[in-house]
Amino acid sequence: MGLCVVGTGYVGLVTCAGLADLGNQVIGVDANPEKVAQLQRGEIPFYEPGLKELVDRHRDRNLSFTSDLKAGVERSEVIFIAVGTPVDEHGEADLSAVRAVASGIGRALNGAKLVVVKSTVPVGMGDLILGLIAEQNTRHFPVGVVSNPEFLREGSAVHDFLQPDRIVIGAERSEDADRLRELYQPLQAEVLVTNRRTAEMIKYASNAFLATKVSFINELARLCGAVGAEIGAVARGMGMDHRIGGAYLNAGLGFGGSCLPKDMRALVRAAEQNGQEARLLKAVLEVNQQQLLWLGQRLAALIGPLAGKTLAVLGLAFKPETDDLRESPALAATQQFLAQGARVQAYDPAAMPKARALLPGASFAQDAYAAAEGADALLVFTEWNEFKEMDLPRIKAKMRGSVLVDGRNLIDPIRAKTLGFTYCGVGRD
Ligand code: UGA
């Protein structure tokens, strides 16, 4: 099938490569010609394990890139919209890119098309997209618009595309749902077909639930710390109950990234616009913000005022296996420390090139050991595997102080204490 994917960010590019891998002829369209040139050369603009290999396998065979939306649409039967939908601090989504693409598709129509919305859009946006296309559809070609939300995680996006837990298709016409079902058939995944608005809501509901689990466990972690319980075992004990499940119960610095915080704010806003108060969702966001304040207080209690102190920060990305710093709690905490006059020596296996501009005043080390040199405290902020396997005695020998703040509960507290660290985890000491 001739397919076109508009937008080559995380979701778009993974979708391009994944659909090409399923044997389709795919054209990736991006408005940014520099980005297109990069992709044509086989350069991936961000770090995502396995993506380059997949793109390389299909590039110049059944995967190509262009900045010409019209050409992409004309040569395709199915068009995926995967452009960004950033939201402002009030949760209001900027839908200008989606609108522009919808109108552009309408102008380029040369036959019947199916438009598949992968971008996370407010509930009801599918209707608007259909309207914008219809405005330009002067020759009245049959066009269907379906919602097909994406559930891939950064860091395991390729795996998530090729082995999804489920595929949600929100369609108003059964033939549109059947078309998309057929396209995904090689994945042999469970498919749920709903109406369009329900599918749009499933996306928000899923991310909101994951965020709720994280804030729930973080709030309990603080309580565990106060009453002498151990959060890791509490989470395991809860997770063994299949009704609860163990995923997304790792206490830490809180959730970040380009999706969970943004989608939570958008959902709160949507509730308000519909005359409802989203009390639980607001609390989830609040708990997430408090987590960083709490961390700052714990650190200050251990080493005193931060001015003039040297802090070794291990991990800046919002989670491992990505260089994404968007709404990263690790980055926000580090910025707080710098503002308080601390000297920061940071190390992240992938995110340092992007972090330099965002952390003026910090110095960047070539590995964890160099970051630990002369540090009063060591802070582990992202659960990269290499931090799990660090040579702790070597780290300790490099440091001036002995405080170890384990913001992701990565290091065994007993081992750390035996080595002479003053250990502080999240809900376990
Ligand atoms: C999230 C969803 O998991 C995907 O299903 C969805 O497709 C994606 O958003 C999206 O909307 O595009 P992602 O942003 O890649 O994916 O991040 P997650 O892996 O879900 O992690 C989110 C944050 O929660 C991270 O900061 C992570 O460190 C934190 N987290 C996660 C915890 O603190 N504890 C946990 O137990 C799990």
Side-chain angles (χ1 to χ4, degrees):
M1 238 191 246
L3 310 177
C4 161
V5 180
V6 188
T8 59
Y10 280 102
V11 171
L13 192 54
V14 173
T15 304
C16 282
L19 290 171
D21 207 49
L22 299 187
N24 302 288
Q25 202 67 39
V26 182
I27 307 170
V29 178
D30 202 290
N32 180 347
E34 276 166 39
K35 202 168 171 196
V36 169
Q38 239 184 331
L39 292 168
Q40 283 168 339
R41 290 194 298 270
E43 295 164 22
I44 308 295
F46 49 84
Y47 176 80
E48 182 62 44
L51 184 56
K52 183 168 168 45
E53 291 77 357
L54 204 64
V55 169
D56 281 347
R57 201 178 306 152
H58 298 285
R59 194 167 48 91
D60 302 330
R61 288 178 45 227
N62 58 337
L63 173 60
S64 61
F65 299 98
T66 176
S67 52
D68 185 349
L69 175 65
K70 186 166 182 287
V73 171
E74 282 173 351
R75 282 161 40 204
S76 311
E77 298 157 64
V78 183
I79 300 138
F80 289 79
I81 301 182
V83 293
T85 52
V87 298
D88 64 20
E89 69 273 21
H90 308 297
E92 199 69 61
D94 175 0
L95 301 168
S96 51
V98 177
R99 284 168 180 275
V101 169
S103 301
I105 292 172
R107 280 192 297 276
L109 291 175
N110 60 341
K113 309 278 173 188
L114 178 62
V115 176
V116 182
V117 185
K118 278 226 161 274
S119 302
T120 302
V121 291
V123 176
M125 186 70 192
D127 304 13
L128 221 104
I129 292 172
L130 188 59
L132 287 166
I133 295 173
E135 272 174 25
Q136 311 291 334
N137 187 6
T138 45
R139 287 191 278 168
H140 307 291
F141 293 117
V143 176
V145 172
V146 301
S147 163
N148 172 221
E150 186 51 73
F151 301 107
L152 55 83
R153 293 160 297 175
E154 288 180 20
S156 55
V158 171
H159 166 273
D160 291 350
F161 184 93
L162 296 171
Q163 279 153 275
D165 281 355
R166 80 298 208 187
I167 289 169
V168 174
I169 300 175
E172 300 300 317
R173 307 185 309 186
S174 60
E175 64 265 34
D176 294 340
D178 291 345
R179 188 95 181 272
L180 206 54
R181 194 197 282 273
E182 185 195 333
L183 188 69
Y184 285 126
Q185 201 277 329
L187 295 176
Q188 298 197 320
E190 212 169 325
V191 176
L192 176 69
V193 177
T194 67
N195 67 33
R196 206 162 47 214
R197 287 178 182 232
T198 303
E200 289 167 344
M201 185 51 118
I202 288 172
K203 168 67 191 194
Y204 282 109
S206 303
N207 274 0
F209 193 72
L210 296 175
T212 303
K213 282 187 102 173
V214 174
S215 276
F216 174 89
I217 206 69
N218 283 339
E219 186 159 278
L220 279 200
R222 287 184 226 153
L223 183 58
C224 282
V227 300
E230 201 270 299
I231 193 64
V234 169
R236 273 196 301 285
M238 288 170 60
M240 284 170 173
D241 185 328
H242 287 108
R243 294 170 304 170
I244 299 174
Y248 281 74
L249 289 180
N250 295 322
L253 289 190
F255 57 82
S258 64
C259 305
L260 262 48
K262 172 180 88 113
D263 292 353
M264 287 297 288
R265 288 197 295 270
L267 207 48
V268 168
R269 183 94 176 122
E272 280 167 1
Q273 283 167 341
N274 285 280
Q276 289 178 21
E277 198 195 344
R279 289 205 189 90
L280 177 63
L281 304 181
K282 277 192 203 163
V284 168
L285 282 167
E286 250 168 59
V287 169
N288 201 46
Q289 276 157 8
Q290 283 164 4
Q291 203 63 4
L292 284 189
L293 298 176
W294 173 82
L295 173 96
Q297 286 160 2
R298 296 289 315 262
L299 181 61
L302 288 166
I303 63 170
L306 298 189
K309 299 276 170 26
T310 300
L311 305 179
V313 172
L314 303 187
L316 295 166
F318 84 98
K319 67 172 190 179
E321 299 302 328
T322 176
D323 61 353
D324 199 340
L325 291 162
R326 285 176 287 178
E327 302 214 29
S328 165
L331 180 76
T334 308
Q335 285 167 333
Q336 263 178 35
F337 302 153
L338 285 166
Q340 290 171 42
R343 271 198 303 269
V344 169
Q345 298 172 173
Y347 169 68
D348 186 286
M352 288 198 293
K354 288 187 178 166
R356 282 177 203 277
L358 300 167
L359 292 173
S363 68
F364 293 88
Q366 63 179 25
D367 58 23
Y369 306 98
E373 199 78 59
D376 295 293
L378 182 84
L379 302 114
V380 182
F381 279 170
T382 312
E383 60 272 51
W384 285 96
N385 276 335
E386 66 177 77
F387 300 152
K388 291 182 194 157
E389 288 147 21
M390 289 187 293
D391 180 346
L392 283 177
R394 195 174 149 209
I395 292 271
K396 177 81 178 41
K398 301 246 177 213
M399 290 173 61
R400 180 166 60 191
S402 61
V403 168
L404 195 174
V405 176
D406 187 358
R408 294 288 176 185
N409 288 350
L410 211 65
I411 289 159
D412 177 7
I414 296 172
R415 175 144 192 269
K417 285 181 212 164
T418 312
L419 292 170
F421 282 104
T422 304
Y423 178 89
C424 165
V426 183
R428 61 175 204 186
D429 289 312

